[in-house]
């Protein structure tokens, strides 16, 4: 059996196990990577190489920083401050989260955006006395961060890959805000969806119990005590944890180091200063999120190196023939990209499909820039699975199951694809 066929079979079985949850999600992810290696689709050294990826360290580091905010008591105070401005109406809170994500994600990666916003959302949820919930907000935070990847040339890797392909081929390139002609309408769609159909869907479909909030500081009573009840040491540690979060945000913005280095430095400072003990940092780590994302590189490598992804793309385009219109070509490539990006990184998806789209456009005499942009934006809108993008993986901390992503994120993924395809004639030169 060809490696490409084996890879598709493994992905199919993995999907069935993810949906049924007969085996825990993290264990399923590990087994899928092992299968890719055992059956010769990828080398063993590649199967789990994703755990050395910078974004894995970003996730682990920011989870620790977030836990330190709760452990010191800073998170409840931050949450109360946010609630005093926003209130505890959940729909209003969701709208504010989405609107705040727009300027942040325009200039930061979608992963960094989620890493900043999730601790802030958790702080407000903790201080709301149950009026705000993780299960109704965390996935939307992830979706907002992902959507932000379509705002500017630098907000997500797919458009950078497309831009480089255009430069290398001597074609017309994209402007800094050109991709935003898709990103802003997608944000508007997310806002409407999250406050209407999506909100009702969450209330009805998410039947799991709310995840227990991260424990408050053990030395402080769980009551609304005035700040003066904190000891000087507690106050110092509280200030340190807040300062670390601010440092991380600034460092992300100015790209002082790689995101993983920044987050791990923040986590190390929190542990070294006693904001959270190493034992608690390990105990409270969201290992499911870390494992699923680390393994997702193994899935992507299996699809990519075996040729399964390229086989799907090339055969689909070949079936349509030379008479395919520019709009239909973009719509088909976008559909392939949306499907693949839910199972492999958006970067890998774009790296796979952009060359195919560019070569096809040249052969048919269509505008190369338009086809490259179509692939880039479609590679950035994966919402239907927890392994689609880092922000959607990080949202797992809300306690979601795989089928919750299909229900909430999957429906929006369909709507987002339809909107993007309808925008093609208006935005692109087709």
């Amino acid at each position: 059996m060809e490696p490409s066929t084996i890879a598709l079979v493994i992905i199919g079985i993995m999907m069935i196990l993810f949906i049924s949850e007969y085996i825990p999600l993290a264990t399923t992810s590990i087994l899928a990577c092992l299968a890719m290696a055992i059956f010769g689709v990828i080398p063993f050294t590649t199967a789990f190489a994703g755990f050395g990826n910078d974004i894995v360290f970003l996730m682990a580091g920011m989870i620790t920083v977030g836990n330190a905010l709760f452990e010191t008591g800073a998170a409840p105070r931050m949450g109360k401050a946010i609630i005093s401005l926003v209130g505890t109406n959940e729909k209003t809170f969701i709208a504010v989260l989405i609107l705040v994500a727009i300027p942040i994600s325009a200039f930061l990666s979608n992963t960094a955006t989620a890493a900043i916003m999730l601790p802030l959302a958790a702080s407000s949820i903790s201080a709301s006395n149950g009026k705000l919930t993780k299960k109704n907000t965390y996935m939307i935070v992830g979706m907002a961060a992902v959507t932000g990847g379509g705002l500017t040339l630098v907000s997500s890797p797919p458009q950078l890959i497309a831009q480089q392909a255009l430069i290398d081929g001597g074609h017309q390139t994209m402007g800094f805000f050109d991709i935003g002609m898709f990103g802003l309408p997608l944000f508007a769609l997310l806002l409407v969806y999250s406050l209407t159909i999506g909100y009702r869907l969450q209330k009805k479909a998410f039947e799991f119990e709310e995840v227990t909030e991260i424990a408050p500081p053990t030395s402080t009573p769980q009551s609304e005590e005035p700040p003066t009840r904190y000891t000087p040491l507690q106050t110092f540690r509280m200030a340190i944890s807040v300062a670390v979060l601010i440092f991380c945000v600034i460092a992300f913005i100015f790209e002082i180091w790689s995101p993983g280095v920044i987050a791990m430095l923040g986590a190390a400072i929190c542990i070294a200063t006693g904001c959270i003990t190493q034992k608690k940092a390990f105990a409270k780590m969201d290992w499911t999120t870390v494992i699923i994302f680390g393994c997702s590189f193994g899935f992507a490598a299996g699809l990519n190196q075996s040729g399964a992804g390229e086989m799907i793309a090339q055969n689909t385009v070949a079936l349509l023939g030379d008479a395919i219109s520019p709009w239909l070509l973009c719509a088909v490539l976008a559909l392939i990209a949306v499907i693949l990006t839910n199972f492999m990184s958006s970067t890998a998806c774009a790296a796979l499909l952009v060359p195919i789209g560019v070569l096809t456009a040249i052969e048919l005499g269509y505008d190369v820039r338009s086809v490259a942009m179509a692939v880039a934006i479609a590679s950035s809108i994966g919402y239907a699975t927890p392994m689609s993008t880092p922000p959607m993986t990080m949202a797992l901390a809300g306690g979601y199951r795989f089928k919750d992503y299909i229900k909430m994120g999957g429906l929006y993924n369909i709507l987002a694809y339809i909107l993007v395809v309808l925008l093609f004639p208006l935005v692109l030169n087709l």
Side-chain angles (χ1 to χ4, degrees):
M1 190 180 295
E2 292 292 325
S4 57
T5 304
I6 296 173
L8 291 175
V9 170
I10 292 171
I11 293 295
I13 295 173
M14 182 187 73
M15 280 295 299
I16 294 172
L17 292 175
F18 271 149
I19 295 171
S20 67
E21 296 192 41
Y22 180 75
I23 299 173
L25 298 182
T27 304
T28 298
S29 299
I30 293 171
L31 288 173
C33 283
L34 286 171
M36 289 283 189
I38 290 171
F39 290 100
V41 178
I42 54 177
F44 277 96
T45 52
T46 303
F48 297 102
F51 286 96
N53 186 276
D54 185 73
I55 297 178
V56 174
F57 290 95
L58 168 63
M59 287 183 177
M62 290 310 295
I63 288 171
T64 300
V65 171
N67 286 336
L69 289 169
F70 278 93
E71 191 65 24
T72 62
R77 290 196 169 194
M78 292 168 57
K80 288 175 185 177
I82 295 172
I83 286 173
S84 67
L85 296 173
V86 177
T88 55
N89 180 282
E90 197 162 56
K91 284 190 175 182
T92 302
F93 182 61
I94 288 171
V96 169
L97 289 175
I98 294 172
L99 293 173
V100 169
I102 294 177
I104 297 176
S105 56
F107 301 100
L108 293 183
S109 70
N110 53 24
T111 308
T113 301
I116 291 169
M117 294 192 62
L118 284 173
L120 296 178
S123 300
S124 301
I125 292 166
S126 174
S128 70
N129 295 320
K131 295 179 181 178
L132 305 176
T133 61
K134 278 188 173 183
K135 67 180 181 180
N136 288 337
T137 54
Y138 263 42
M139 190 178 294
I140 291 174
V141 169
M143 293 167 71
V146 172
T147 304
L151 286 175
T152 66
L153 184 63
V154 300
S155 55
S156 188
Q159 44 263 42
L160 293 175
I161 291 172
Q163 184 80 331
Q164 190 60 50
L166 294 174
I167 293 172
D168 293 343
H171 308 288
Q172 181 186 0
T173 57
M174 294 182 283
F176 190 79
F177 292 106
D178 285 353
I179 202 79
M181 297 296 288
F182 293 106
L184 287 176
L186 283 169
F187 254 118
L189 176 65
L190 178 61
L191 184 62
V192 173
Y193 176 76
S194 300
L195 300 180
T196 56
I197 300 172
Y199 188 76
R200 291 195 294 271
L201 182 62
Q202 288 185 127
K203 299 280 282 187
K204 182 178 180 180
F206 293 176
E207 299 173 351
F208 59 90
E209 291 294 324
E210 179 73 3
V211 176
T212 303
E213 193 56 78
I214 300 174
T218 54
S219 56
T220 305
Q222 296 187 46
S223 60
E224 304 208 8
E225 298 290 344
T228 52
R229 292 187 62 86
Y230 285 96
T231 66
L233 180 59
Q234 289 172 318
T235 303
F236 169 75
R237 287 173 174 168
M238 188 185 301
I240 289 293
S241 63
V242 174
V244 166
L245 178 62
I246 294 172
F247 159 75
C248 289
V249 172
I250 294 173
F252 288 149
I253 293 173
F254 292 100
E255 299 181 349
I256 297 174
W257 299 294
S258 72
V261 170
I262 294 166
M264 291 304 290
L265 177 59
I269 292 173
C270 287
I271 294 173
T273 56
C275 295
I276 185 171
T277 65
Q278 179 175 290
K279 183 177 180 180
K280 285 189 177 180
F282 289 155
K284 294 179 181 294
M285 179 59 60
D286 188 351
W287 292 111
T288 296
T289 298
V290 173
I291 290 173
I292 288 178
F293 186 74
C295 289
S296 69
F297 289 90
F299 316 152
L303 284 173
N304 201 5
Q305 295 182 21
S306 69
E310 185 176 2
M311 178 183 69
I312 293 171
Q314 289 182 336
N315 288 342
T316 302
V317 173
L319 285 174
L320 297 170
D322 295 338
I324 184 174
S325 69
W327 176 84
L328 184 56
L329 173 64
C330 289
V332 170
L333 286 172
L335 179 60
I336 297 170
V338 167
I339 293 172
L340 289 181
T341 202
N342 276 294
F343 300 97
M344 60 194 302
S345 75
S346 60
T347 304
C349 181
L352 172 68
L353 291 179
V354 166
I356 294 173
V358 167
L359 291 174
T360 305
I362 293 173
E363 183 177 339
L364 298 177
Y366 297 152
D367 184 62
V368 176
R369 174 180 173 274
S370 295
V371 175
M373 281 184 66
V375 173
I377 189 63
S379 298
S380 300
I381 52 173
Y383 307 94
T385 68
M387 76 281 292
S388 58
T389 55
M392 297 305 289
T393 309
M394 294 166 76
L396 275 169
Y400 306 110
R401 298 161 297 185
F402 189 86
K403 60 185 179 182
D404 294 326
Y405 279 81
I406 296 176
K407 292 174 183 176
M408 178 69 175
L411 176 57
Y412 180 72
N413 221 150
I414 294 171
L415 296 175
Y417 169 75
I418 292 172
L419 175 61
V420 165
V421 169
L422 291 176
L423 287 171
F424 282 163
L426 302 176
V427 178
L428 304 178
N429 182 25
L430 300 178

